[in-house]
Amino acid sequence: MATTPNLPTPDFTYDPTLPGACIAGVRPYRNGSYRLEAETIGSKFIVHNYGHGGAGITLSWGCAGKVHDIVKDFLVGTQDTKVAVLGAGVMGLTAATRMLDLGLAVTIYSDRKPLETTSSKAGGQWAVSVVEYTGKQRELTDIIKTAYTTFKASIGQGFGVSERPNYTATPSHNLDIVIQLAPGLIPPRKSLARLPFEGHTQPGFVYQTLLIEPPIFLARLEADLRARGAVFVNRKFTGKSDILASVTENILINCTGLGSMTLFSDTKMQPIKGQLALLRPQPALQYLYGQNGYMFPRADHLVIGGTFEVGVNNETPDPTVCQGLVDHIASQFGKASVKPLPDIHIHHPDHAPIVNPAIPVA
């Protein structure tokens, strides 16, 4: 009987103590749903665009399109020609791009450069990960359609986007959401009699999705914005009153992510820390892998992740945790001993309600 040939096996050689080998970020998770809406405070028209959990990059272009439409409608009744974007992560940069498309003068305020933001610490798979959308199924459908088609159209254009298969041992909730909400946007998953890897004997699934490489994508967005005249201002705000008093623009796009917990007193915001192990790049690996964690081969690194620390709001990496992530994926390939999932692992059963929220009935 014919056997499925194995795809290349990763080299799991790793030293978590090397500079930059272990990094940590904090997902801007918002209980109930992300926030994408406008409010008026005095003379300020504020569009909030934050709380996207682990799906910021995935949803970015779609949310930016919604922001564009909200501001476009507002411009009908005003003479304003300037807009302030708060935050230089992926939500801020894509929203700023769409504000330029409206012909507005754009100033981006942030206390971090784009490649220092939480967005730069993302793995990069296009999937609806760790984000709630209660009551927003139709809106989310529009968002993911716009986001996916925009990303797909940018393949080969220097944005760090490529098509990749993702092999999983069990159905991927993050991608099944897309298949259910927007049938036909991505191909349906295929069942496999065996995952095509060394050390694997069990059946699994393969999805077709996109890989967006944050270092390339964010750098390209920033370069394009600067070339089009957007101004970047290094500024750390202390609260809403500080923003309202010091930002001269009357149109504000709030893309501060977890910062909105403090800046706009949003008690629904909840930090969820995640850590990544960054191994040497391995160009022969042209697939994504998700089995009790995830592995994304990018041009800059082989990225391995899978931690989930609810309520932890610091970006201090733990080399021991990163080594454990590598060892766990390596064990699936028969390259390390198998150990139980730690309670901070994203696929630990305790985290299922947030990681895999039920798809609401429309």
Side-chain angles (χ1 to χ4, degrees):
M1 185 175 68
T3 58
T4 303
N6 288 334
L7 294 173
T9 299
D11 178 357
F12 292 106
T13 303
Y14 178 62
D15 182 353
T17 66
L18 292 176
C22 182
I23 63 173
V26 183
R27 304 174 182 93
Y29 176 75
R30 189 170 187 266
N31 287 299
S33 72
Y34 56 87
R35 190 178 186 193
L36 181 52
E37 62 184 2
E39 68 170 335
T40 300
I41 304 177
S43 63
K44 306 295 188 185
F45 180 74
I46 305 173
V47 182
H48 296 286
N49 181 27
Y50 66 85
H52 303 92
I57 289 178
T58 296
L59 303 180
S60 59
W61 283 123
C63 290
K66 293 292 185 182
V67 171
H68 170 280
D69 294 345
I70 292 170
V71 174
K72 182 180 180 181
D73 289 343
F74 174 76
L75 290 174
V76 173
T78 179
Q79 299 299 313
D80 284 307
T81 59
K82 299 178 181 180
V83 61
V85 175
L86 312 181
V90 70
M91 285 299 176
L93 298 185
T94 51
T97 301
R98 292 296 178 247
M99 293 302 94
L100 287 173
D101 294 344
L102 285 173
L104 297 173
V106 175
T107 301
I108 300 166
Y109 297 88
S110 177
D111 62 345
R112 296 187 180 192
K113 298 176 181 179
L115 291 176
E116 297 172 347
T117 63
T118 297
S119 301
S120 70
K121 300 176 180 180
Q125 178 188 207
W126 192 89
V128 182
S129 172
V130 193
V131 60
E132 287 200 52
Y133 43 90
T134 302
K136 295 184 177 182
Q137 301 91 285
R138 292 182 181 178
E139 180 181 82
L140 182 63
T141 299
D142 290 342
I143 288 170
I144 60 178
K145 285 180 178 178
T146 299
Y148 183 82
T149 54
T150 304
F151 276 120
K152 190 165 184 178
S154 72
I155 293 174
Q157 304 299 314
F159 287 88
V161 182
S162 55
E163 291 188 283
R164 289 287 185 269
N166 183 350
Y167 292 89
T168 68
T170 58
S172 170
H173 180 84
N174 300 336
L175 292 169
D176 284 342
I177 289 174
V178 176
I179 292 169
Q180 180 167 342
L181 291 179
L185 189 64
I186 63 174
R189 69 178 188 235
K190 292 184 179 179
S191 299
L192 302 175
R194 183 186 77 88
L195 289 172
F197 304 107
E198 180 180 359
H200 290 65
T201 59
Q202 300 299 316
F205 303 90
V206 61
Y207 295 81
Q208 298 296 327
T209 186
L210 304 175
L211 177 66
I212 299 111
E213 307 202 27
I216 300 173
F217 183 48
L218 294 172
R220 174 60 185 269
L221 288 175
E222 180 182 5
D224 286 354
L225 284 164
R226 291 185 183 276
R228 295 177 66 184
V231 176
F232 285 76
V233 175
N234 181 264
R235 178 66 194 272
K236 184 176 180 64
F237 297 105
T238 58
K240 182 167 66 175
S241 60
D242 181 21
I243 294 171
L244 297 176
S246 61
V247 175
T248 59
E249 293 86 354
N250 288 323
I251 304 173
L252 282 66
I253 315 300
N254 173 32
C255 303
T256 57
L258 195 62
S260 291
M261 182 169 63
T262 300
L263 296 176
F264 288 88
S265 304
D266 191 336
T267 58
K268 293 184 179 181
M269 291 301 295
Q270 186 173 29
I272 301 178
K273 182 178 180 179
Q275 302 191 49
L276 295 176
L278 304 180
L279 287 67
R280 69 171 182 82
Q282 301 180 40
L285 307 181
Q286 295 292 303
Y287 58 84
L288 310 181
Y289 178 90
Q291 181 172 346
N292 290 334
Y294 51 83
M295 180 176 68
F296 303 154
R298 303 190 320 210
D300 60 336
H301 296 100
L302 173 63
V303 177
I304 296 178
T307 67
F308 197 85
E309 298 176 71
V310 179
V312 179
N313 191 11
N314 71 69
E315 297 176 310
T316 304
D318 183 337
T320 302
V321 169
C322 288
Q323 183 67 64
L325 288 169
V326 175
D327 290 345
H328 188 79
I329 295 292
S331 73
Q332 308 300 314
F333 288 78
K335 301 300 183 181
S337 58
V338 178
K339 296 180 180 179
L341 283 180
D343 59 7
I344 65 168
H345 199 281
I346 193 168
H347 290 133
H348 191 280
D350 288 352
H351 303 312
I354 295 179
V355 175
N356 302 323
I359 300 177
V361 177

